[in-house]
Amino acid sequence: MELRSVEELMDLLYACRGERPADGAVGGPGDPHGHALRTAALLRRRRPADKELQVAGLVSPVGRLLWPGSPAARTAAAVGPLLGARVARLVRRQAHPEAWDHDDDLVSLRQAEEEARTAVFDAGVLEDWRTVLELTAARNSRLGAVD
């Protein structure tokens, strides 16, 4: 699946609400939707100018809704045309621990993901990220499709 608009991406991100993580909990620190919001919020605090890194943290749960293949590869394939090659690369490579040591962006992403598993704070709502997604898509989309 290739996403053609920010609206399609937002629909998928909203669909991740209530999606059960591996431990079966919904709504807690393991909730994929909440985890993605916390990851993106942590990255926004640490690297406020790096919108692509923040977006990579936000879109990670999308692959769980897409089939077949690994979730990271599915997410990267879906968001790459819309959000750009760097976001797709970060999403795809975060599933490969051997790549983390050689890439500061992946280290930052992984650290934020790990902290977001146990951090409890108000990370806002998905709608807060629409403008960032639109700006990233406008700058990176080869399709030129931006809502």
Side-chain angles (χ1 to χ4, degrees):
M1 173 183 199
E2 185 176 294
L3 297 172
R4 298 186 183 274
S5 70
V6 170
E7 194 60 40
E8 288 180 0
L9 176 57
M10 292 291 288
D11 288 345
L12 275 176
L13 289 167
Y14 276 117
C16 292
R17 287 186 300 187
E19 183 73 13
R20 293 189 186 277
D23 65 6
V26 174
D31 170 46
H33 178 78
H35 180 257
L37 287 172
R38 287 188 303 278
T39 299
L42 289 167
L43 289 165
R44 178 183 274 172
R45 290 177 188 169
R46 293 178 187 156
R47 308 245 316 252
D50 195 343
K51 303 303 184 208
E52 290 176 335
L53 183 62
Q54 297 164 25
V55 166
L58 181 67
V59 301
S60 61
V62 168
R64 297 168 192 218
L65 302 176
L66 307 172
W67 299 95
S70 77
R74 291 189 301 255
T75 302
V79 303
L82 181 65
L83 300 176
R86 181 170 177 243
V87 173
R89 179 185 60 82
L90 288 168
V91 169
R92 184 174 34 262
R93 294 185 69 205
Q94 75 187 40
H96 302 286
E98 65 278 2
W100 303 343
D101 293 335
H102 308 290
D103 188 323
D104 290 341
D105 294 338
L106 282 173
V107 170
S108 294
L109 181 57
R110 292 303 298 179
Q111 287 173 341
E113 283 187 335
E114 287 301 316
E115 186 176 337
R117 290 187 204 296
T118 57
V120 179
F121 64 94
D122 182 3
V125 296
L126 182 56
E127 205 56 42
D128 297 340
W129 289 92
R130 183 181 294 274
T131 301
V132 175
L133 290 169
E134 289 172 346
L135 291 171
T136 304
R139 187 173 52 234
N140 292 304
S141 177
R142 67 176 163 81
L143 298 175
V146 178
D147 290 20

